Amino acid sequence: MSPQITPIVDTEQDLELSERILQPDGTRIANPQLDRFVSDLSAEDLRALHRDMVVLRRIDAEGVALQRQGQLGLWAPCRGQEATQIGTARALEPQDFVFPSYRETGVIYARGAAPGDFVRMWRGEEGAGHDPNALRVAPLQIIIGAQTLHAVGYALGISHDGTDEVAVTYFGDGATSQGDVNEAMIFASSYRVPVVFVCQNNHWAISEPVAVQSQYPIAGRAPGFGIPSLRVDGNDVLACLAAMRWALEHARSGKGPTYIEAVTYRMGPHTTADDPTRYRNDDELEEWRRRDPIARLEAHLRALGELSDEHVAETEAAADAMAREMRAECLGMVTRPPLAVFDGVYAEPHSGLERQRSEYAAYLASFDGEV
């Protein structure tokens, strides 16, 4: 199911090279490769995907607002990428383990994150915003591409244990230029481990357009490593769900790694420390607004007669409730004493750690005489 390798000339051609099930206007089209993977979805399932994306967008907006109000140190927006994150994450089984980058808010939401989990790390309270074992999601990774190596290492462990788990790792188009990602693919292919690589091609690696990094579809690189790949319209939640189901089926059947490139767009800044108006124009944004993933699914549901105004209102109310809980959790967090940073580093006392604790205590005391 690997894509044809054709140079990318413009956005329209870029998207035409991607598999899809829903057109931007919500029209359902036949897709021989993907249809069987979503043939079981009911209208209720579609409404649940719609609800997930609406709630995620509200979580994201609240995260940006909290950062702008000085409550968070940073936030990495995912507006515009809801279909990619929700579609792929909802295909996972409970036993699967995810290794995300810093932008996968929708993935941890789909895996059961509590309201406070979205902000704890960005507020600087803990090294991970959530319990990795409970969600089966590793801590958000800030180092670009490093999580792909972690995922492959975990997948090798799955192979040794003989379980039916799959490791899944998410990264952006910019990360594909990192050595870590390519080394992870070499290792995954060599050992045929059950891992799924998900590249969210959102067109911008900070301020560098994807065309600078790749003149060809990024998914076209994977077959060179011996990894089958699939390129999908990342704003089509059904295509993303189907692609992940294909990848998981491949991995669980012992056939090794797979690669998904989801072609989407980052509507907001790279992080709240970024100003995207310095490197992209309004025409580009407007072009992608017409491909909004939520509006696409809404149009499809309304065409089916399966989306009522009551459902929309209830969904928006649920999204607002999640945002209120998230804000309340954020504002109610109590920062631990500075010296608590040394707690839990080692299972047993360590002389070197005690020395560092003492030195840090003296440093803190030099400011106000209090520790």
Side-chain angles (χ1 to χ4, degrees), residues 23 31 56 74 90 138 146 155 204 209 247 256 302-303 312 319 334-335 338 370:
Q23 297 279 40
N31 187 302
L56 171 57
L74 194 70
R90 284 303 186 194
W204 287 97
R302 289 196 183 278
V312 172
V334 178
T335 301
E370 298 180 3

Side-chain angles (χ1 to χ4, degrees), residues 110-126:
R111 298 295 278 178
D117 293 345
F118 300 112
V119 293
R120 192 171 291 107
M121 185 191 78
W122 297 117
R123 193 173 168 87
E125 303 296 351
E126 298 285 350

Side-chain angles (χ1 to χ4, degrees), residues 68 75-77 103 266-276 279-280:
R68 296 306 191 207
W75 183 263
R103 202 182 301 281
R266 167 168 60 78
M267 296 299 292
H270 178 71
T271 70
T272 46
D274 171 43
D275 178 7
Y279 54 80
R280 67 184 187 192

